[in-house]
Structure formats: structure tokens, C-alpha cells
Amino acid sequence: MPTDVERLIREAMKREAARAPVADQSIVKAASRRGRHRRWAVTAGVLATASAIAVGAVVLLPADRSRDVASGPAEGIDLPSSGWDEGEPGHTALFGGVLEVANGDCLFGRVSDDVVFGLLWPEGWTATTDENGTIEVRDREHQLVLREGDRFHVGGSARDVADVCGIAEASMFGMEARPTADPE
Amino acid sequence: MEFDEYAAARSAELLRLSFVLTGDHHAAQDLTQATLAKAFTSWSALNNARDPDAYLRKICVNKYLSWRRRMASREIVTADPLGDGSDHAPATEDAAERIDLQRLLGRLPPRARAVLVLRYYLDLSTDDIASLIGSKPATVRSLISRGLVAARALLVEDEPAQDRKETGDAHRR
């Protein structure tokens, strides 16, 4: 049997819903336009990234520069978000690489010696450090997903070129799935 | 079924859910539009889903939570990041019998707020809510419990105001 406060909350929500604006056809049309634009933008981004990888020209970077600038450990850092959340549908362009760290706490993906990507993570994910100072990526439930140095793959979509951890200008990859560590 | 047909049939319901979540007309319309835009790009998956409406709700709630998180990270102090408060109901004259919903929801973190809406507006079970927000049922129960505590505290706060009003009325008489 519901408590009185539960009844009051239900009633308050019904009253609130009754005050909602009236939906009209324009909202559906606007959503369709927005959806079409988004689909086009994502397709263009994926194609651009695929081309860049094909010619191996995303960025040229000294192989160990990120290690040179790495400093102290990081604790409970909020990771930059792709806007994707677990349970949502996502795009399926595939990213594969090694998880590396620059500037102490900035995570990026290395595809090869010369090619890196900035990473945008699922909503609410954080990075912590273990007792040895190794960075670990944790999901919203604080479950360990990846560790610094892990080779992993993940689905998602290419985003704009941006400054990646202060070490290179490169494409960002927005994760739209849960990354998986590859077996060693 | 075509996307436009499905979206037209669901937009009113989706707008009501968005409004209860945000408490603001403009934010509700934008959230509805963003949800439908995402549904458009995922139409094949949504149309083939076992429960397309549940899929749509999931998009809406997760979109709402993303917005709140992004806004929270950009703003330092805000009572209601999505709304300006102008759409909120005024304190009711019969506070002992009513809860000012937006005051209550405004006191809760976004996930607890969404969970209360899913539980008491959509009448979803804790298991369904857990699946929808990607959490554990125990976490959902804890968030609901926190919401109920906040609601009880709000009712207690409003009681003196009600008493004062009655006392004032008695003096005037």
C-alpha cells in the first residue's frame, strides 16, 4: 500500500503533466530535420576519419613524447564525454588502439607510432589511479573497464579535430559503446 | 510504420514526460525534439525493438541526464539549470495536501529526480527503471528512498507556513 507521501508525489506529477505544452506537428518536423543533419554529419565524420587513417596522416608525433610530459597521479577525474550513455543506440565506426596517458591525467588512444586520437568517453565515466599510479578507467558504477596501456576496441563515431592532451592536433573519437580490452 | 507517423503519435506523451522532468516549457520542447531526432537516426533499431516506447523513454531520460551533467559542469551556482523557474507552480494554498513538485525535484540530483519521475509518473518498476538508466535495482530503490525523504522534509517545512496562514486568518477574524 503506497504511503501518503507517495500518493502526494503521484498527484503532483499528474498536475505537472497536465501543464505541459501542447505538442504539434512542428516538433516532429524539426526533429526529423535535426536527425537528418546529425546523420549526415556523422557519416561525413566517419568517412573523413577513415580517409585520414588510410593515408596515415592524422598526425605525426614523436613516439614517446607523451611519456616525457606525464607527471603525477590522477584521482577521480571526470572524463570528457561523447554524450553517449549506456543503453542508448550508438554509431558503429570501430576504433582500436592502445590507451595512453599524457600530462599526468589526459587519456588518448594511440593507433600507431604516428597516429593518435582524442577520446570522448561514455557519460559519467571517470579515471582513477591505482596504488602504483596507473590510471584506470571506471564506468558510472565505478567498475574497472580499462587500464593505462590496455589495447582496446570500441564502437562510436569520429568527431572534430581538436587539441589532444596538448600533444597533437588530431581527430576525436566519440565512444558510443562500451570499450572492450583486447586479450594480451 | 514510418518515423513521422510514430513520432506524431508519441510526441504529446513524450512532451509531458519531458516537462515533468525539466519543469520548463522550452526545455521540455527541446528535450522532446532532441529525443525524436535521436530516434530518427536510430529508427531502424527503434522500429524493430521489442518495446519501441521503452526505447524512446530510454533515449529521453538519458538525454535529460546528459544535459544536466553538462550544465552542472559548466555552471557554478544554479537552482534549476534547465528552467528559469517561471513555469513553476507557485506555493500552493493547501501545502499540507500538496507537494510543490519542482521544489522537490530541484532539491534532488538529476538521477534521483529522473528516478522519481519514472517511478511515480510512469509507474515503472524498480527493475525497469534500473534497466532504463543503466543502474542496479538497489541503487534505484536507494534513490527513490532519498526522494521520499526529501518530499517528507518539504511537507514538514511547509507546515509552519500553513499554520501561520491559519493563525493570521484567525486574527483577522
Side-chain angles (χ1 to χ4, degrees):
Chain A
M1 185 161 163
T3 61
D4 201 43
V5 73
E6 288 180 301
R7 176 179 62 79
L8 292 176
I9 293 173
R10 277 184 217 280
E11 289 173 359
M13 293 207 175
K14 277 187 197 148
R15 278 198 306 276
E16 191 75 350
R19 297 174 54 244
V22 177
D24 58 35
Q25 193 59 26
S26 67
I27 208 162
V28 175
K29 285 182 181 159
S32 300
R33 274 198 305 274
R34 203 160 151 176
R36 263 185 218 105
H37 177 76
R38 181 179 159 87
R39 184 186 281 167
W40 181 87
V42 166
T43 305
V46 169
L47 288 173
T49 305
S51 307
I53 291 173
V55 298
V58 174
V59 66
L60 291 173
L61 175 77
D64 58 354
R65 183 175 162 195
S66 62
R67 299 294 180 182
D68 293 341
V69 293
S71 56
E75 292 290 343
I77 301 154
D78 287 334
L79 292 168
S81 168
S82 65
W84 179 87
D85 211 341
E86 292 197 72
E88 286 185 355
H91 294 96
T92 53
L94 188 66
F95 175 87
V98 177
L99 185 64
E100 293 198 7
V101 180
N103 299 320
D105 59 16
C106 185
L107 294 166
F108 67 95
R110 182 181 294 281
V111 177
S112 68
D113 283 350
D114 299 331
V115 179
V116 297
F117 273 77
L119 298 173
L120 300 171
W121 298 83
E123 283 285 350
W125 285 33
T126 54
T128 56
T129 51
D130 69 10
E131 64 277 9
N132 300 318
T134 302
I135 293 204
E136 299 172 323
V137 173
R138 294 180 180 274
D139 66 14
R140 193 201 288 286
E141 303 295 333
H142 305 293
Q143 298 297 311
L144 178 62
V145 181
L146 291 175
R147 290 166 63 86
E148 179 185 352
D150 279 350
R151 181 168 287 283
F152 70 101
H153 64 272
V154 62
S157 61
R159 308 290 174 88
D160 292 341
V161 171
D163 175 69
V164 175
C165 302
I167 56 172
E169 287 282 312
S171 289
M172 304 295 288
F173 188 86
M175 298 185 189
E176 297 177 38
R178 199 179 167 87
T180 306
D182 298 334
E184 290 182 12
Chain B
M1 186 186 278
E2 294 299 316
F3 170 79
D4 284 0
E5 190 187 344
Y6 176 80
R10 294 293 177 276
S11 58
E13 189 184 317
L14 191 59
L15 197 51
R16 284 194 290 273
L17 171 61
S18 299
F19 185 67
V20 177
L21 282 169
T22 63
D24 179 88
H25 280 206
H26 297 299
Q29 284 174 327
D30 206 19
L31 179 57
T32 300
Q33 197 186 107
T35 301
L36 290 175
K38 182 111 183 176
F40 178 91
T41 59
S42 312
W43 177 238
S44 168
L46 192 145
N47 197 25
N48 293 317
R50 195 159 43 93
D51 185 350
D53 292 347
Y55 200 111
L56 192 68
R57 281 197 295 269
K58 181 179 272 196
I59 295 174
C60 179
V61 170
N62 285 325
K63 191 74 69 183
Y64 163 75
L65 291 173
S66 303
W67 284 6
R68 291 295 299 238
R69 273 192 294 274
R70 268 180 230 158
M71 286 175 165
S73 67
R74 286 177 198 156
E75 295 178 14
I76 297 169
V77 177
T78 172
D80 183 356
L82 282 177
D84 60 5
S86 58
D87 292 328
H88 294 180
T92 57
E93 66 282 359
D94 52 350
E97 286 301 317
R98 285 187 169 206
I99 285 182
D100 182 340
L101 188 68
Q102 293 305 333
R103 252 178 84 207
L104 166 62
L105 296 182
R107 290 180 178 194
L108 300 173
R111 263 156 75 84
R113 182 178 174 132
V115 162
L116 274 203
V117 171
L118 295 171
R119 179 73 190 96
Y120 295 111
Y121 176 60
L122 294 181
D123 279 324
L124 299 186
S125 69
T126 50
D127 283 354
D128 286 343
I129 297 169
S131 157
L132 196 150
I133 65 168
S135 202
K136 293 173 186 157
T139 308
V140 171
R141 281 193 289 276
S142 159
L143 291 171
I144 290 172
S145 168
R146 207 183 302 169
L148 294 178
V149 168
R152 286 192 188 98
L154 196 60
L155 287 171
V156 169
E157 276 175 32
D158 286 344
E159 272 175 2
Q162 180 73 3
D163 292 346
R164 277 196 300 277
K165 181 176 182 296
E166 285 169 1
T167 308
D169 290 346
H171 282 309
R172 278 194 291 281
R173 282 197 291 270

